[in-house]
Amino acid sequence: MAMAEKELKGINQAEQLTTFESGNEMAAMAAAQINYHIMGYFPITPSTEVAQYLDQMKARGEHNIKLIPADGEHGSAGICYGAAATGARVFNATSANGFMYMLEQLPVQAGTRFPMVMNLVTRAVSGPLDIRGDHSDLYYALNTGWVILTARTPQAVYDMNIMALKIAEHAKVRLPVMVAYDGFFTSHQKRKVHYFKEREVVQQFVGECPTDYNFARDPKAPVTIGAHMNGEDLMNNHFQQSEAMYAAGDIFKEVADEYAKISGREYPVLDLYGMEDADVALFLLNSAAETAKDVVDQLRRRGIKAGVISPNIIRPFPAKEIREALKNVKALLIGERADSYGGNGPNLTHEVKSALQDDKNNRTIVLSRVFGLGGKDFYADDAELFFKDAIESMEIGYAIKPFDYFGHIPGDQEKILKPVITPQHGDVYNSGLIHVDKDPETNKLKVKLPPIRSLTSKPKRIASGHGACPGCGIFTGLELFFKGIEGDVVVLYQTGCAYVTTTAYPYSSHKQTMIHNLFQNGAATLSGTVEAFLELKERGEINVSDDATFVMVTGDGGMDIGMGSAIGTALRNHKLIMLEYDNEGYMNTGSQMSYSTPKGHMTSTSNVGKAQKGKSFHHKDTAQIMAATNIPYVFTGAEAFPQDLIKKAAKAQWYAQNVGTVYGKILITCPLNWKSEDRYGEKILEAAVNACFFPLYEVEEGITTITYNPDEKKKRVPLMEWLKYMGKTKHLLKEENRELLSELEEEIEYRWQRLLAKNNHPFL
């Protein structure tokens, strides 16, 4: 990667500073120095930090990038495309399933030829869920039409982010560019890095933002973007796109040469280590190649001519350079952190083989191994075993096993997992103490509850031993809700803290059936489960009791990215409950801002500093949105008011079993990210309700009823009484932020008065 200093004598390099940072930090550093116009983003591990670092830098006034928090990755890709269509410079970062969610937008951006730069911080694509790094997401990118650069180190992440924009905007390219680097290996591990002291150096290198293009930026010069094409025109369009992609390979070399002059770091198309006379070699992407280089040194000391090939660009695929590098290699092992199931080898294996086919004199034996899935570490010992396989094939003249997985472990039937907890169902969860009846006069449900202590005999639905943080309000809130649910439940958990802390294979804290699906599709998934259950029962193919209740548990911002699915499910009116625990942020990915984060509150993507004071817009009123779908029952609840919550749970079950969809929102505490003391959990919830920030009410068959009115109870408290308990809001209590506090107070009072009006006027 790096050019030796003696090779760079006479070159006028720009002044650089040395630091010790991670790949994510350096991606943000490059973006800030370029000073992009727009970043549309949505948090997903392990790329989330890029937006966080940029938000911190913006709070300090270090760049002017407009950071736009999207409702999901599909939305973030749309934001970026729309901004790019105006000729703005656009930046993004994502990973894994987030990348998959935006996938259909990416060929649109490439096919209409609008440049931008996106960092793909590689991670395993679910399912099952694994948040660590492999290349299964990267391989979906290969056919999107984007130029793809690969970065092995934090230094390469910084450098390639700068080169990427210059390549993307080049007149012969004009394509979006992706910089792919390994999640957690490169994204989070800190290494020694050099960066330009003055941002002007970077901005002069990338040049002025191009304007000689058909952008949607001048009403006096109207354009039509993305017009429908017939086959003949589409063929021509894609041919031009293909030509631009191959041109990007040459432009990469030009840009890399220019960059070497100001940085002292060289990025050839292929990073070749020990390949000048190698008999055996490994072909590896990104961080694994760095590990293998140490083994090359060891083997060469033993007289074995070994080498490593690692491309710096894989779209366009460097076929010519690979043929040249392998012309004398006797055996090559290609290691890939992903598979192309059923293809007898992953994607790059076939592309290398295809490249070699065009050299009729090449006799390289090619082996393919899938390794390191889900972030499984790749050590020097593993690289040595790869070389061992290649050497063996070289010695016998063929590959005994051309394709295989590396590092998998056969199962042992004698060690089959057995349940630790005896499954509980049916009468165990029927207390017989809760009675729900419909009042024929008011058309509302009447619930008779026993003293709450009587319900403590009902077993918990979630076993102890989960991994939630101390003071987490999720499970006490959920368990209190479940006290009001009689009989069996089938629960779907969307991705979030409640899911990841209760299921870590091979363990599970769930005593009854639990299904997981992603943030954006939980409601739709459970609706399919409900309808299949009912259809199988009607056909007599299953024989189960009639009182099973289907509950979707969502939180951690799941009703942002999952809003479309939830509304669709509500409009179809399936017999299920959607229960949202609201902790006011994307807590499972590190306390990023969600649409339910109140205005002015501090998160890791709405930082507080001289240039900004927390979240810039008001929180979403999800309960009112769901009420607008005309589902039979909507409610809010809080653990600090247990009888109210249990009563609403009983109503929710009745409606879900007899009428249709229910939505409930319960406020829960998150001491870690709210920066509050564990012991104040109940006080915080109580203050939120008494300050009218989180009013307790229900919408039953379209009629709104406030179930607890702090004014009538003479318990109304100022908003400050709630805010003072949380570190994330203490800045709002300072005199210099009085105006921001007033805005929040006014909005909360407005919503409260509107709710009172609905309570007093049934037709509202």
Side-chain angles (χ1 to χ4, degrees):
M1 178 193 74
M3 192 183 271
E5 286 189 16
K6 64 183 179 181
E7 297 173 29
L8 290 164
K9 285 181 179 177
I11 294 176
N12 295 320
Q13 296 177 26
E15 184 178 359
Q16 298 180 61
L17 301 177
T18 302
T19 186
F20 197 72
E21 304 289 8
S22 68
N24 282 346
E25 288 169 304
M26 296 316 297
M29 170 74 79
Q33 289 186 324
I34 290 169
N35 203 27
Y36 282 90
H37 295 103
I38 298 289
M39 179 184 188
Y41 70 92
F42 189 81
I44 181 169
T45 305
S47 64
T48 303
E49 287 186 333
V50 178
Q52 288 179 191
Y53 291 133
L54 281 169
D55 191 83
Q56 291 169 9
M57 295 164 84
K58 182 158 190 177
R60 297 192 295 264
E62 295 175 10
H63 65 77
N64 298 321
I65 303 170
K66 177 71 173 179
L67 302 173
I68 304 176
D71 59 313
E73 288 88 357
H74 198 275
S76 77
I79 290 167
C80 290
Y81 178 62
T86 69
R89 280 179 164 164
V90 182
F91 180 77
N92 201 355
T94 192
S95 301
N97 292 77
F99 178 75
M100 296 289 287
Y101 192 34
M102 65 170 64
L103 197 60
E104 70 171 357
Q105 180 67 67
L106 303 185
V108 177
Q109 179 124 16
T112 50
R113 307 288 298 281
F114 289 111
M116 71 166 281
V117 173
M118 180 166 70
N119 284 263
L120 179 60
V121 187
T122 62
R123 177 188 127 182
V125 171
S126 308
L129 183 70
D130 189 309
I131 66 167
R132 292 162 296 183
D134 64 27
H135 294 160
S136 50
D137 51 2
L138 173 59
Y139 282 16
Y140 282 99
L142 296 176
N143 294 323
T144 59
W146 287 50
V147 177
I148 303 175
L149 312 182
T150 55
R152 289 181 302 282
T153 64
Q155 182 69 71
V157 172
Y158 174 74
D159 295 336
M160 288 197 174
N161 264 277
I162 296 170
M163 292 194 297
L165 182 61
K166 193 174 180 71
I167 294 167
E169 292 179 345
H170 196 284
K172 292 182 180 179
V173 180
R174 282 181 170 155
L175 288 170
V177 177
M178 205 174 294
V179 178
Y181 55 96
D182 290 349
F184 291 107
F185 297 110
T186 304
S187 65
H188 285 63
Q189 293 178 3
K190 292 180 180 286
R191 299 274 293 272
K192 184 179 179 180
V193 182
H194 303 286
Y195 68 97
F196 295 108
K197 179 181 179 181
E198 304 295 339
R199 63 157 46 174
E200 288 76 18
V201 173
V202 174
Q203 293 176 356
Q204 288 170 11
F205 176 79
V206 298
E208 294 292 327
C209 187
T211 57
D212 57 334
Y213 200 49
N214 291 322
F215 296 120
R217 66 192 303 165
D218 185 359
K220 297 175 185 177
V223 296
T224 297
I225 293 171
H228 168 74
M229 288 183 174
N230 59 24
E232 290 83 359
D233 292 325
L234 190 67
M235 181 69 77
N236 289 335
N237 175 281
H238 283 5
F239 171 75
Q240 292 168 18
Q241 184 180 344
S242 173
E243 291 291 285
M245 176 63 79
Y246 290 115
D250 293 328
I251 301 306
F252 173 84
K253 296 174 187 176
E254 292 179 16
V255 171
D257 286 344
E258 290 179 41
Y259 192 74
K261 292 174 183 177
I262 65 167
S263 69
R265 293 180 292 279
E266 187 176 59
Y267 291 92
V269 170
L270 297 179
D271 181 81
L272 302 177
Y273 192 81
M275 289 300 299
E276 60 280 352
D277 62 346
D279 291 327
V280 291
L282 303 185
F283 183 100
L284 298 166
L285 286 188
N286 286 353
S287 59
E290 298 299 293
T291 301
K293 289 176 181 178
D294 292 335
V295 179
V296 168
D297 295 338
Q298 296 170 18
L299 292 175
R300 284 191 168 267
R301 284 194 290 270
R302 287 155 44 188
I304 299 170
K305 296 178 181 178
V308 176
I309 303 175
S310 186
N312 284 317
I313 181 170
I314 57 173
R315 279 295 180 271
F317 191 70
K320 177 183 175 183
E321 289 81 1
I322 286 172
R323 281 193 294 273
E324 179 65 25
L326 295 175
K327 63 183 179 181
N328 296 316
V329 172
K330 298 181 175 64
L332 172 73
L333 188 145
I334 303 169
E336 303 193 58
R337 289 186 184 269
D339 193 5
S340 177
Y341 302 109
N344 295 301
N347 297 73
L348 295 188
T349 291
H350 294 298
E351 297 196 14
V352 171
K353 286 183 175 180
S354 177
L356 295 180
Q357 277 290 101
D358 290 337
D359 180 1
K360 302 306 178 186
N361 296 318
N362 186 278
R363 295 291 181 268
T364 304
I365 302 164
V366 178
L367 299 86
S368 176
R369 297 291 183 265
V370 174
F371 77 101
L373 300 186
K376 185 176 170 59
D377 286 320
F378 182 70
Y379 297 109
D381 289 347
D382 300 320
E384 191 167 358
L385 290 173
F386 276 5
F387 274 116
K388 182 180 177 182
D389 281 355
I391 292 167
E392 180 183 33
S393 297
M394 176 184 68
E395 290 174 345
I396 64 176
Y398 65 94
I400 297 174
K401 201 161 191 178
F403 168 65
D404 198 4
Y405 270 59
F406 174 82
H408 60 290
I409 303 169
D412 185 346
Q413 284 294 325
E414 295 182 2
K415 296 179 180 178
I416 192 167
L417 295 170
K418 296 185 173 88
V420 176
I421 301 171
T422 303
Q424 296 175 297
H425 59 87
D427 289 341
V428 172
Y429 289 107
N430 274 320
S431 69
L433 300 173
I434 300 173
H435 301 283
V436 182
D437 299 295
K438 195 159 197 175
D439 188 325
E441 293 183 8
T442 64
N443 207 35
K444 289 186 176 182
L445 296 182
K446 285 186 173 181
V447 180
K448 289 184 179 179
L449 291 181
I452 293 178
R453 70 174 67 90
S454 302
L455 296 175
T456 57
S457 61
K458 286 178 74 170
K460 290 184 177 181
R461 307 275 182 173
I462 303 166
S464 58
H466 55 71
C469 301
C472 174
I474 294 175
F475 299 108
T476 51
L478 289 181
E479 287 290 6
L480 188 63
F481 172 81
F482 281 129
K483 292 300 182 192
I485 303 291
E486 298 278 78
D488 292 325
V489 296
V490 174
V491 185
L492 182 141
Y493 282 77
Q494 289 181 275
T495 308
C497 289
Y499 160 67
V500 299
T501 60
T502 56
T503 56
Y505 185 82
Y507 304 106
S508 174
S509 297
H510 298 277
K511 296 182 180 180
Q512 295 208 283
T513 297
M514 191 284 296
I515 304 168
H516 165 252
N517 205 358
L518 307 173
F519 270 124
Q520 57 266 37
N521 219 21
T525 304
L526 190 62
S527 72
T529 301
V530 170
E531 296 306 325
F533 179 92
L534 296 174
E535 184 66 19
L536 289 167
K537 186 174 175 61
E538 184 176 322
R539 295 187 186 191
E541 296 179 33
I542 58 174
N543 182 22
V544 293
S545 63
D546 294 323
D547 66 350
T549 303
F550 294 81
V551 183
M552 180 193 82
V553 175
T554 182
D556 298 289
M559 288 298 283
D560 290 348
I561 189 172
M563 198 76 205
S565 174
I567 289 176
T569 298
L571 293 171
R572 296 190 301 269
N573 202 32
H574 300 277
K575 292 182 174 180
L576 55 84
I577 300 169
M578 290 185 271
L579 182 66
E580 178 186 7
Y581 61 85
D582 181 12
N583 50 17
E584 300 180 350
Y586 302 138
M587 301 313 186
N588 65 302
T589 49
S591 185
Q592 294 81 32
M593 184 205 75
S594 80
Y595 287 0
S596 68
T597 304
K599 185 172 184 175
H601 286 222
M602 182 179 68
T603 70
S604 62
T605 50
S606 59
N607 283 279
V608 175
K610 65 179 182 181
Q612 65 183 36
K613 303 294 182 183
K615 190 186 175 202
S616 61
F617 55 95
H618 289 296
H619 59 289
K620 178 171 67 177
D621 195 339
T622 322
Q624 288 295 304
I625 294 171
M626 296 307 296
T629 65
N630 296 314
I631 55 179
Y633 190 55
V634 172
F635 70 90
T636 63
E639 184 189 349
F641 299 82
Q643 195 156 12
D644 177 80
L645 179 55
I646 294 173
K647 186 179 289 188
K648 289 171 177 173
K651 283 188 175 185
Q653 180 174 36
W654 190 94
Y655 277 111
Q657 290 183 344
N658 295 283
V659 185
T661 304
V662 171
Y663 167 80
K665 184 185 189 92
I666 59 174
L667 184 66
I668 65 99
T669 54
C670 180
L672 176 67
N673 293 314
W674 289 8
K675 297 176 173 57
S676 61
E677 295 187 43
D678 299 355
R679 62 194 174 115
Y680 288 144
E682 188 172 330
K683 283 189 175 185
I684 294 173
L685 296 179
E686 191 174 1
V689 173
N690 284 329
C692 293
F693 165 77
F694 194 85
L696 301 181
Y697 67 97
E698 60 190 7
V699 184
E700 190 172 356
E701 299 286 12
I703 306 299
T704 299
T705 303
I706 295 174
T707 59
Y708 174 83
N709 187 327
D711 288 325
E712 291 178 355
K713 300 285 186 182
K714 301 191 184 310
K715 291 191 175 181
R716 181 78 181 263
V717 298
L719 190 62
M720 296 172 68
E721 186 65 24
W722 171 52
L723 300 176
K724 72 180 185 181
Y725 286 108
M726 299 174 289
K728 68 168 183 166
T729 53
K730 285 193 174 179
H731 63 284
L732 294 173
L733 306 182
K734 295 179 179 179
E735 185 58 36
E736 62 263 30
N737 295 322
R738 179 64 213 175
E739 185 178 342
L740 182 56
L741 177 61
S742 295
E743 288 178 19
L744 185 57
E745 289 172 332
E746 288 169 11
E747 178 68 18
I748 289 168
E749 182 61 23
Y750 170 74
R751 295 189 188 191
W752 172 244
Q753 291 299 327
R754 190 170 57 180
L755 192 64
L756 284 172
K758 291 183 177 184
N759 178 80
N760 297 331
H761 302 280
F763 290 106
L764 290 180

